[in-house]
Amino acid sequence: MTTTPPSWITATPPTPNGPLHIGHLAGPYVAGDVLRRFLGAEGHDVLYTTGLDDHQTYVPVRGAKDGGRSGEDVADGHTETIEHVWRTAGVDFDQLVHPRTDPGYTEFVQEFLQRLYDAGHLVARTRPLPYCEPCERWLYEAYVVGDCPHCGSRSNGNACEPCGRPNDCADLLDPHCTLCGERPALRDCRRLYFPLAAFTDDLAAFWERVDMPPHLRALCERMAADGLPEIAVSHPGDWGIPVPVEGLRDQRIYVWFEMAPGYLREYSQARGHLPATPPAPVQFFGIDNGYFHALLFPAAFTAYDRSIPLPRAFVVNEFYRLEGLKFSTSRQHAVWAHEELARTSPDVLRYHVLADRPEGRQTSFSLTALARSRDHLTRDWNDWLLALFTAVADECDGRAPAEAPRGQLWDRLSTRLRQDVTALREAYGVDGFDTRRAIALLDEIVAGAAVFGHVSAHERDRPRGETAHRAALAGQLAVAAALSAWAAPALPHGSARLAALLGLAPGRRVHEDALVPPAPGTVLGTPAQAKEIFGA
């Protein structure tokens, strides 16, 4: 297999203020795993990294709302559940960063901030910040809720999920303390700020070359047209990494600013060191995190070290909705992934969220639609494969036939399949990544093979038609062999089972070369073993 340059894929670290929900799986995590598996089969030296976003203030706020649990207790408990979901769903990360426990993480983030401060990229400003007198607490991020000054939607401090734009907390309209509900006062507070305007030209040049969807590009260009803001990168609080700057050591580094060096830390830990030139990553995230990835992080990396390659592509999902509302851990509006995986197989769930992924527009999850996906895999994928293995058991003694696929029907099907796999490679690849299209193509491949099997069954009715029928069975086995490779990035569990039943190695390339039946005489799996290959 040809060695190709290293590839780095990142997925936004989840906040451990609750379990993962189905919206998370439909967003960055399963999709990023699809790309990782595809590139890995191509021979790329690929790394897929993420971490846990421990220092979000949503963690201690969740603890306070749960009866006074500590932030550490909340984060530890949900981290275990989150990692269990990834393992069960087949989302295989090469590196996970745990900010509160990984040695050297705090120092690395502090050094990153200190370098930007020493170079004059971060400046101290005294500006108003909400303060809750009953709670005796400064309010920012999860501690304050109000109306976004840009779009008017309900928003927490620092960033608005609906429109994706930052705020400075004091500019929220009708603000209230999240914990006690009281209206806060505004008090002057000295914090560190990162003026983005100094990087306007750098960011504009970066936006010209990075692959990103129009929705995110529109957000970037609107913010640039309005004049890029100064972003508070420190807050007075007791949760998170202490600011190393003299006079502000009682403050904590803004968690979204922390994530920039956090990404570098993911790569350095996976490799054992931070190379001078890590590969330009492909980053998976939701549209509500768009400004951070497209403006804040690139500006921070540029300020820190211009030799760090900025991302080559952003793969962005829109909101996945549940009963008309966005999935939300903080509001407990969700179908929890660990609960669904206890009753639904990983392949079925992966199939559904990839087919329903909110790419380019919002989509909505329902248990009824998930049941339809389960029924579809059973009726169309599994039933075809079961019929195939049953026919091979009955007519070829459970061995791959000696006959090679041939005939007009096979020529037409194989031509169409080669066209399909070309399109499938594009849908799996970075430049044309589209999981909805990939699943539709896999469905088309299976449907074509099933029709071919039904039509070819009439070969048995011809005098001396046994040879033609065995050749048709070989053709179906060729499609099954191809499917075990072509579906593997999306549905790894069933694909590995299918490959084993065919006597083939798992993890082969998504390529037309996979469209070959097992060698004549190969002992294949039994019909009993071929039941529910996808979704067992």
Side-chain angles (χ1 to χ4, degrees):
M1 186 174 290
T2 303
T3 300
T4 56
S7 299
W8 180 22
I9 304 166
T10 73
T12 306
T15 303
N17 64 327
L20 290 183
H21 51 64
I22 301 297
H24 288 123
L25 293 186
Y29 303 120
V30 172
D33 183 71
V34 169
L35 180 60
R36 181 194 69 83
R37 291 177 183 276
F38 172 71
L39 294 178
E42 289 291 297
H44 287 249
D45 175 17
V46 61
L47 284 176
Y48 185 28
T49 69
T50 191
L52 278 299
D53 201 11
D54 289 358
H55 294 142
Q56 289 276 1
T57 52
Y58 294 92
V59 174
V61 165
R62 179 77 268 152
K65 290 184 175 180
D66 285 349
R69 296 169 62 202
S70 70
E72 290 82 1
D73 183 43
V74 171
D76 289 342
H78 291 306
T79 292
E80 183 177 345
T81 303
I82 288 168
E83 293 185 7
H84 168 75
V85 164
W86 283 333
R87 289 191 300 269
T88 304
V91 177
D92 293 338
F93 288 104
D94 299 289
Q95 184 63 48
L96 290 173
V97 168
H98 300 84
R100 291 179 299 111
T101 58
D102 284 356
Y105 178 89
T106 293
E107 292 77 11
F108 186 82
V109 173
Q110 289 177 324
E111 186 276 334
F112 187 96
L113 181 140
Q114 186 71 56
R115 184 191 292 193
L116 266 62
Y117 178 78
D118 291 343
H121 296 301
L122 303 183
V123 293
R125 307 283 197 212
T126 299
R127 289 178 178 164
L129 185 66
Y131 185 85
C132 180
E133 294 176 353
C135 295
E136 297 182 332
R137 180 186 297 278
W138 293 98
L139 303 185
Y140 60 95
E141 204 182 35
Y143 289 111
V144 63
V145 63
D147 295 335
C148 173
H150 303 289
C151 72
S153 299
R154 205 64 173 161
S155 172
N156 286 110
N158 297 98
C160 173
E161 282 192 353
C163 75
R165 295 190 63 157
N167 62 70
D168 200 34
C169 302
D171 53 355
L172 287 172
L173 307 175
D174 191 27
H176 290 82
C177 173
T178 304
L179 296 180
C180 74
E182 290 295 316
R183 187 177 182 87
L186 291 181
R187 294 185 181 182
D188 284 344
C189 180
R190 185 170 178 265
R191 291 174 288 164
L192 282 179
Y193 278 81
F194 184 26
L196 295 182
F199 299 92
T200 299
D201 292 341
D202 293 296
L203 289 171
F206 167 61
W207 298 335
E208 283 296 316
R209 63 180 184 269
V210 68
D211 184 355
M212 65 175 168
H215 189 174
L216 179 56
R217 194 174 297 279
L219 171 64
C220 294
E221 292 178 358
R222 283 199 309 272
M223 288 185 62
D226 291 343
L228 295 181
E230 296 188 347
I231 303 299
V233 297
S234 75
H235 296 99
D238 55 7
W239 183 255
I241 295 177
V243 173
V245 175
E246 192 64 41
L248 296 170
R249 295 182 186 274
D250 60 338
Q251 296 194 13
R252 297 297 181 266
I253 297 173
Y254 177 38
V255 67
W256 280 101
F257 183 82
E258 172 195 328
M259 197 179 293
Y263 276 131
L264 296 181
R265 186 68 179 177
E266 291 171 14
Y267 190 85
S268 66
Q269 286 198 198
R271 291 301 192 200
H273 65 286
L274 181 60
T277 54
V282 177
Q283 296 195 305
F284 284 74
F285 54 87
I287 189 63
D288 52 328
N289 299 155
Y291 127 76
F292 302 111
H293 288 83
L295 285 89
L296 183 62
F297 299 163
F301 291 139
T302 301
Y304 181 76
D305 183 350
R306 285 184 174 271
S307 71
I308 296 175
L310 299 181
R312 59 172 291 196
F314 293 138
V315 184
V316 184
N317 60 275
E318 298 286 334
F319 291 138
Y320 200 34
R321 295 191 170 271
L322 172 64
E323 298 174 359
L325 298 174
K326 176 182 173 292
F327 274 90
S328 173
T329 300
S330 60
R331 294 192 300 273
Q332 302 289 287
H333 180 72
V335 174
W336 303 117
H338 68 284
E339 294 178 352
E340 195 55 52
L341 283 166
R343 53 184 175 256
T344 299
S345 78
D347 274 337
V348 170
L349 196 55
R350 285 177 69 113
Y351 175 94
H352 184 76
V353 300
L354 292 172
D356 200 33
R357 179 174 153 81
E359 294 174 352
R361 74 270 198 220
Q362 297 179 8
T363 55
S364 186
F365 175 82
S366 75
L367 292 173
T368 300
L370 177 61
R372 285 198 297 268
S373 291
R374 183 187 298 109
D375 292 344
H376 168 67
L377 282 173
T378 297
R379 182 183 63 252
D380 296 324
W381 289 48
N382 291 330
D383 285 358
W384 162 62
L385 289 168
L386 178 59
L388 172 60
F389 279 92
T390 299
V392 171
D394 292 343
E395 301 181 36
C396 306
D397 196 28
R399 297 175 181 271
E403 290 78 5
R406 67 176 186 271
Q408 291 180 340
L409 288 178
W410 172 249
D411 290 343
R412 292 170 190 157
L413 176 61
S414 60
T415 297
R416 190 163 67 247
L417 291 173
R418 288 183 172 88
Q419 295 170 346
D420 286 340
V421 74
T422 298
L424 185 61
R425 287 177 58 81
E426 181 181 61
Y428 279 149
V430 175
D431 295 335
F433 189 83
D434 185 344
T435 67
R436 298 172 68 97
R437 185 182 182 209
I439 293 297
L441 287 164
L442 292 173
D443 279 336
E444 181 179 319
I445 290 162
V446 171
V451 170
F452 174 81
H454 287 301
V455 174
S456 299
H458 292 287
E459 298 284 7
R460 289 175 298 186
D461 300 330
R462 294 172 52 203
R464 298 183 299 280
E466 297 88 351
T467 299
H469 186 244
R470 287 195 294 270
L473 290 178
Q476 290 187 75
L477 287 172
V479 182
L483 186 67
S484 72
W486 298 352
L491 309 178
H493 303 86
S495 297
R497 284 192 290 269
L498 179 56
L501 293 177
L502 295 167
L504 300 172
R508 291 166 296 129
R509 293 180 68 200
V510 178
H511 192 273
E512 66 177 45
D513 291 349
L515 188 62
V516 178
T522 300
V523 178
L524 306 181
T526 66
Q529 294 171 321
K531 290 181 178 179
E532 295 186 333
I533 293 173
F534 290 94

